[in-house]
Amino acid sequence: MNISTFIARRYLFSKKSRNIINLVSLISFLGLFISSAALVIILSGFNGIQQYVEQMYGKHAAQIYVYPIKGKTINENHEIFKNIDAQPLVKYYSKVIEETALLKFKDRWATAKIKGIESKIFKAENWNNSIIEGSESLNLRGMPTIILGYGIQNQIQAPVDLNFLNEIKIYSLSRNEKISIQNKNSFISKNLILGGVFSLNPEFDQTYALVDYKVACEIFELNSSANLIEIFVDDANKIDNVLEELSSFSDEFRIITHKEKNKLIYAANDAEKWMVLAVLTFILILSSFTIVASITMLIIDKKKDINTLIAIGAKFRQIKNIFFKEGLYISFLGSIIGLISGTIACLIQMNFHLIKIENSMIESWPVVIKISDIFMLLCILFSCGLIASYLPSKIFMQKLIKI
């Protein structure tokens, strides 16, 4: 074993002549321990929230969306449908109608965005898992139904009763009539059975109602056209390949991915995570500099030992390495034990759900440990430890000890 390493280890565990040095060393260790554990726990907590938000907004969502640049509709005979059909990476696609309409139940009104989706896609995407009340289909006993978002149902106070079959009246503007107060034909109305209520995410629940695509075509007079196309891909890693195949239609259509559609949500999550990381890293840097105080005081305390080592022929570089390694030991021990403790705390939460969230859509705080975060934290912690150990042992030592 290297002599400087041996002495550094002895200094680490031996009792110092002044209790204050022991106290400062303990504070240094605890500061790094708590900071590193907190970094793991908080980053993993943010990862959990981010994953939950992604799942909440990504549930039943297509990987690619195609919107017309000019106008509001896509003709059913457009060449883009043939292109999509010919792509082996496409799992399936759906023509979708999204239009605003008025909903009426008794004397209560609500504005909603009606989303018309094909029944086969409704089944393929397992929308039944998001139905919290009522039927799990867009048709009931051969009659078309409307499935309301939880927020919209609250607005119009419409109960789901599959025995008495409550009806929701939908009003939409006619595309073929001139809008006028005197013209009663300006509005198209249709009665639909209230088939159920879904809950997906707050934004969707407050805005959308679901109907069958064919019913939406009838309500909005679209004749088998669509407002957009939703494309579902077999392999999420090959979305770029599908986008490349669709690039020839970029002059006519705006083609975006799910992440691009919800970029504000993803950007906000990332910004929050990195801002918290920056604040905690700053606290970690402050904690690391208690090592500077600890090593500086240790150098002063060990003046006699240093002079003895010099007298028996030790080189000044070897003496500096003793205190440099002493700082590294404090830093690395505090960091590694903190990371391990933080990881264990996260694993306990993941398996036993000890921290609950009251009055929330999720019962316990979600936690996700990412290996990339652990490696990043190791780099940050070791960098701070190296700098904090280098300053007193390499730079301040000559000023503190006159040889």
Side-chain angles (χ1 to χ4, degrees):
M1 182 186 293
N2 188 288
I3 187 65
S4 59
T5 304
F6 175 77
I7 297 173
R9 284 181 59 183
R10 289 293 302 272
Y11 282 169
L12 180 66
F13 298 107
S14 64
K15 188 176 180 180
K16 283 72 175 177
S17 61
R18 295 179 179 86
N19 289 330
I20 187 64
I21 301 174
N22 292 317
L23 180 61
V24 173
S25 298
L26 180 62
I27 291 171
S28 302
F29 173 81
L30 289 176
L32 289 167
F33 168 78
I34 294 169
S35 298
S36 54
L39 279 166
V40 175
I41 293 168
I42 292 174
L43 282 184
S44 298
F46 267 98
N47 290 336
I49 291 293
Q50 188 172 26
Q51 185 185 74
Y52 173 72
V53 170
E54 288 176 3
Q55 288 174 349
M56 188 169 60
Y57 281 87
K59 196 176 183 181
H60 313 307
Q63 283 78 40
I64 299 172
Y65 297 85
V66 180
Y67 296 91
I69 292 174
K70 294 181 180 179
K72 291 185 65 177
T73 59
I74 305 170
N75 190 284
E76 62 175 326
N77 298 317
H78 198 282
E79 286 294 318
I80 194 168
F81 291 108
K82 293 181 181 178
N83 181 288
I84 297 170
D85 279 324
Q87 292 198 44
L89 295 174
V90 173
K91 187 178 181 182
Y92 42 73
Y93 71 92
S94 173
K95 292 188 289 185
V96 176
I97 293 172
E98 283 189 6
E99 292 284 356
T100 303
L102 286 171
L103 304 183
K104 182 185 179 185
F105 177 73
K106 295 183 178 179
D107 60 342
R108 299 183 184 91
W109 295 78
T111 303
K113 187 166 281 189
I114 305 298
K115 181 168 184 173
I117 58 176
E118 297 176 59
S119 293
K120 62 180 182 181
I121 303 300
F122 185 87
K123 292 177 181 177
E125 283 300 300
N126 298 314
W127 269 93
N128 58 304
N129 294 332
S130 300
I131 305 297
I132 58 173
E133 189 179 2
S135 173
E136 299 173 353
S137 171
L138 295 174
N139 291 279
L140 180 65
R141 302 168 198 165
M143 296 179 290
T145 63
I146 181 170
I147 300 177
L148 301 179
Y150 181 72
I152 294 175
Q153 187 212 20
N154 278 341
Q155 288 182 52
I156 60 175
Q157 295 293 301
V160 178
D161 192 329
L162 300 182
N163 293 317
F164 291 98
L165 302 181
N166 291 321
E167 288 190 341
I168 305 292
K169 197 160 192 174
I170 303 177
Y171 292 91
S172 67
L173 286 172
S174 173
R175 292 175 179 274
N176 303 318
E177 296 287 338
K178 185 177 180 181
I179 299 174
S180 171
I181 297 174
Q182 289 77 25
N183 188 358
K184 294 182 179 180
N185 296 323
S186 296
F187 282 92
I188 297 170
S189 64
K190 186 173 180 64
N191 290 338
L192 292 176
I193 302 298
L194 175 56
V197 178
F198 69 82
S199 180
L200 199 58
N201 61 66
E203 183 182 341
F204 205 89
D205 295 349
Q206 294 284 347
T207 309
Y208 282 87
L210 304 177
V211 299
D212 185 81
Y213 169 76
K214 292 179 181 177
V215 174
C217 285
E218 183 184 340
I219 295 169
F220 299 108
E221 299 178 325
L222 285 176
N223 301 321
S224 299
S225 298
N227 295 124
L228 69 142
I229 306 168
E230 293 183 346
I231 301 173
F232 298 83
V233 180
D234 272 319
D235 187 351
N237 296 319
K238 295 184 178 179
I239 292 175
D240 290 339
N241 297 34
V242 179
L243 292 173
E244 189 177 346
E245 291 292 330
L246 293 170
S247 60
S248 58
F249 298 97
S250 58
D251 292 337
E252 298 178 74
F253 300 100
R254 184 167 66 96
I255 304 168
I256 58 173
T257 63
H258 171 69
K259 283 193 174 182
E260 289 170 338
K261 184 184 179 185
N262 299 284
K263 61 182 179 182
L264 185 61
I265 295 168
Y266 289 95
N269 285 337
D270 288 337
E272 287 175 358
K273 177 180 175 179
W274 296 118
M275 284 178 67
V276 169
L277 176 63
V279 172
L280 289 175
T281 302
F282 179 71
I283 295 170
L284 173 66
I285 292 169
L286 294 180
S287 300
S288 297
F289 275 91
T290 58
I291 297 174
V292 176
S294 176
I295 300 303
T296 302
M297 294 176 71
L298 183 63
I299 292 170
I300 295 171
D301 184 62
K302 299 298 181 181
K303 275 185 181 181
K304 290 181 179 179
D305 291 359
I306 293 169
N307 289 327
T308 302
L309 288 169
I310 293 169
I312 62 174
K315 295 180 179 178
F316 193 58
R317 180 175 56 82
Q318 290 176 312
I319 297 170
K320 289 196 291 186
N321 283 339
I322 293 171
F323 297 99
F324 176 65
K325 290 176 181 178
E326 172 80 4
L328 291 181
Y329 279 139
I330 297 172
S331 174
F332 290 176
L333 278 174
S335 300
I336 294 297
I337 295 173
L339 285 176
I340 293 170
S341 302
T343 303
I344 291 171
C346 291
L347 289 172
I348 291 171
Q349 175 63 14
M350 289 168 67
N351 289 284
F352 299 102
H353 311 292
L354 299 180
I355 302 175
K356 306 291 183 182
I357 304 178
E358 295 182 3
N359 303 320
S360 175
M361 295 176 70
I362 47 177
E363 294 182 359
S364 61
W365 192 277
V367 174
V368 175
I369 300 171
K370 290 185 178 179
I371 300 299
S372 58
D373 284 349
I374 301 296
F375 279 115
M376 177 185 67
L377 292 178
L378 280 172
C379 291
I380 293 171
L381 291 164
F382 286 0
S383 298
C384 291
L386 282 168
I387 294 168
S389 302
Y390 182 84
L391 288 175
S393 62
K394 303 289 186 179
I395 297 175
F396 300 154
M397 192 168 175
Q398 284 181 324
K399 295 180 180 180
L400 293 168
I401 305 297
K402 292 181 180 179
I403 300 172

